[in-house]
Amino acid sequence: MALPTPLQAFSSVPKTSVGNDKQTIVNGEKMTGAQALVRSLEELGVKDVFGLPGGAILPVYDEIKDSTKFRFVLVRHEQAAGHAAEGYAISTGRVGVCLVTSGPGATNVVTAIADANMDSVPMVVITGQVGVGAIGTDAFQEADIVGITYPVVKHSYLVTRAQDIPRVLTEAFHIAATGRPGPVVVDLTKTAQTGDMYFSWPQRMILPGYNPTTKAHGRVLADAAKMFSQSYRPVLYVGGGAVRSGAQRQIAELARVTGAPVVTTLQARGILPDSDSANLGMLGMHGTVAATGAAQRSDLLVAIGARFDDRVTGDLTSFAPTARVIHIDIDPAEIGKNRVADVPIVGDVACVLDDLIPETTRTQAIHGKPDLTHWWASLNKLREDYPIDYDQPEDQPTDGSLSPQWVVKQLSGMADPETIWVAGVGQHQMWASQLVDFERPRSWISSGGLGTMGYGLPAAIGASLGSQRDFEGRKPVWLIDGDGSFQMSSEELATAFLDGAPVKIAILNNSVYGMVRQWQTLFYNKHYSATMLRDGEATKDTAPEDFVDVPDFVKLAEAYGCVGLRAFTEEQAIDAIKRANEINDRPVLIDFRVWKDAMVWPMVAAGAPNDEVTYRPGTKPLRRAAAQGADDAAQVSGAASV
Amino acid sequence: MANYPASQPGSQRHTLSVLVENRPGVLARVAGLFARRAFNINSLSVSPTERPDISRITVTADVDTVPLEQIIKQLNKLLHVLKIVELDAATTVDRELVLIKVAADESNRSDVLEIVRLFRVNVVDVHPESLTIEATGAEGKIDALLGLLEHYGVIELVRSGSVAVTRGPRALSEKVLGSEITGR
């Protein structure tokens, strides 16, 4: 059949403008926009909403009643509503929802939106907006939140008519959860909230420009499978996209089928159990030497839902210099953004791997499986020689306080195996990712891309409420936080107590901004500018009048109705952890007094090549290995030709 | 890989045609993407098309291929963007509208009018001290015309920016046929 000419094609298009404000649908139940919003959330299966009311969103809050099918969680700061929704979304895999007011309420949630955007967290943020007539007049609490959030959202809506609400909500949830997940802002004018409309459900979405690819197309799978059969030093580099896609089973199977080692990003910790021998741990700035070394020396790097972030690659030009790259990502814009991919595969990770694994098996049946013995021997040597370790003399506290790494190790060892781990941002976050033994996916919640301090407590509350909802409370939540990071959102202890989120909080209190101090120590000549917090200077022997502890975390916890504990020594620490594990009816905070000069090792300095990874001051194992690399490669290719 | 700013001296001229939904805020999203990556947009023109629900943006920018690919991918992620095509100069009709106010009095008016005739462009306003000339054409023609008129003194100049369409019977919006974007 001949295609229509443009003239024919468009003759069916009405010549008159179709835009009018008349009610086009008059069947359905008559109600206000605010009622329609609540009904839409219920119809969408939303179970929990985080937020804080205000003038411009009051019509909606007025419709939240005892009979409303979702639970509303009142936070004390809108940023926390956003992070709580993130923690909720990551732990449960469902879309997190926030409901906040206009102006300052909306701008407060911008950090959380940017955070969700960087880490691809599905989230819908509903913000109030002044009436349509007042938009642009600098009305009280007016802020152009759609404009403000353009660069940090997946999509945004300004809703001016009540009748659009059910459809916009349907679209918003669809957009947030599908494709590459991300935050969607729905800015709801007061006019839309108070206007009348006819509610009908389900709604037809109008999204002509949104067609995410989930299945791999073309010859790429065969190309990738062929590359596996030709590679003697393969590495699977797994990122947060694999977690979002729920691809833990497929990752484990691909590792088994190909025999390749797995290295993960910060976000993907737990996707493969740490006890699995194929798991080399995290790579990059504070990753293990084995993981970083594996990527550097690989001849095939398979990026799976990972985006070659600078904290992973270090100096990009010298990252994995000898590797060919297979890049699997649902977002085509990530492929080739930082590193050219030899085989680009656009699609959902789980879906692509489901197709790639049988293809690889088929190729192996024809071409055989490469012998990876030498590769594993060299990696195992790195793993044995350079483990994550804090027993060196320079790691031992000199002031009688606790070693922060030791505390994390004890927390991990004594915790329920189902525990969901949450961290703020800083040294404690890196120690948690290095030293907690992750055995389950979605058991690690941390702000990666944006590195948002203060993320921990609200995210932990979200995860805890998500655990109650989806796992019947069987998954306890441990928050590992720093004294600096914690103080950015400590007001949420009120939410945790009043809304029944019995999070367990371990503050690694070194009385300084630890990660900044580490950089000051290493790169700024020990000029400790503005990093002293003076919130944990007392030791167990200090007389009360001789020190300032602002705040006193134990009293702070008690002020909010939580249990506060403090540990100066290892015995006290063990006792406190035991007690915290026993308390499940309210939040528990433990103030661990740790050594302020402890450092996170290994480390690659920002912008330095990964081959320069410093295991300990003065020890750069990969630089030495790089010199031997030529010999290894010769050996491997020799093995290949046999 | 990552070049910043994306527009470097000596980069090649590229023309992008972007079909977007005809609704408020779309241009801001598109322009914001260019701005964030330090793209120096050479020209940009937007207007509704044969379909009232679709607008077409024509962007020309001097930029290297790799950052251009990245920005096309990023543009594609915007939900309001329906289709992006990089137009090939060889198969494209490319036009620009220019209004030029030239200082011309009785002593040199006839010389200017001669140039106007040669270039087959129009005079749209006459004043004892000036002539306003309307010219359409591809960039080269406009540049040539301007080069000649400069000599007389250009008082004021405004260019519309490039609009471009591929040769032949096909419409770009055929590729988004069937997606009716109404009712919101």
Side-chain angles (χ1 to χ4, degrees), chain A residues 245-286:
Chain A
S245 163
Q248 55 272 12
R249 182 181 57 77
Q250 288 88 341
I251 298 283
E253 194 170 345
L254 185 68
R256 191 183 54 74
V257 166
T258 61
V262 173
V263 303
T264 73
T265 65
L266 175 71
Q267 290 297 315
R269 292 288 286 130
I271 189 139
L272 198 66
D274 282 352
S275 53
D276 190 317
S277 65
N279 192 346
L280 299 180
M282 181 170 80
L283 84 163
M285 183 174 272
H286 292 299

Side-chain angles (χ1 to χ4, degrees), chain A residues 88 130 134 161 197 211 317 529 618:
Chain A
Y88 183 87
V130 299
R161 298 183 305 177
M197 55 87 68
N211 306 298
T317 51
S529 175

Side-chain angles (χ1 to χ4, degrees), chain A residues 173-191:
Chain A
F173 275 75
H174 176 68
I175 294 164
T178 55
R180 179 181 184 169
V184 178
V185 168
V186 178
D187 197 24
L188 208 57
T189 57
K190 210 160 180 179
T191 318

Side-chain angles (χ1 to χ4, degrees), chain A residues 1 36 41 62 80 129 181 197 215 219 232 300 417 465 473-474 494 521 614 629 635:
Chain A
M1 194 185 74
L41 291 174
D62 191 43
Q129 183 56 279
M197 55 87 68
K215 231 173 140 56
R219 291 185 38 78
Y232 294 85
L300 176 66
L465 295 174
R474 278 181 279 108
T521 306
T614 310
Q635 231 175 356

Side-chain angles (χ1 to χ4, degrees), chain A residues 6 10 156 167 331 335-336 338, chain B residues 1 29 73 77 169 173 184:
Chain A
F10 295 117
S156 50
R167 196 202 72 243
D331 181 358
I335 293 174
N338 294 327
Chain B
M1 288 288 307
R29 286 177 211 248
K73 286 174 169 176
K77 283 170 71 173
S173 55
R184 57 168 165 172

Side-chain angles (χ1 to χ4, degrees), chain A residues 216-229:
Chain A
H217 289 297
R219 291 185 38 78
V220 285
L221 291 175
D223 292 349
K226 198 169 143 209
M227 237 176 224
F228 271 115
S229 71

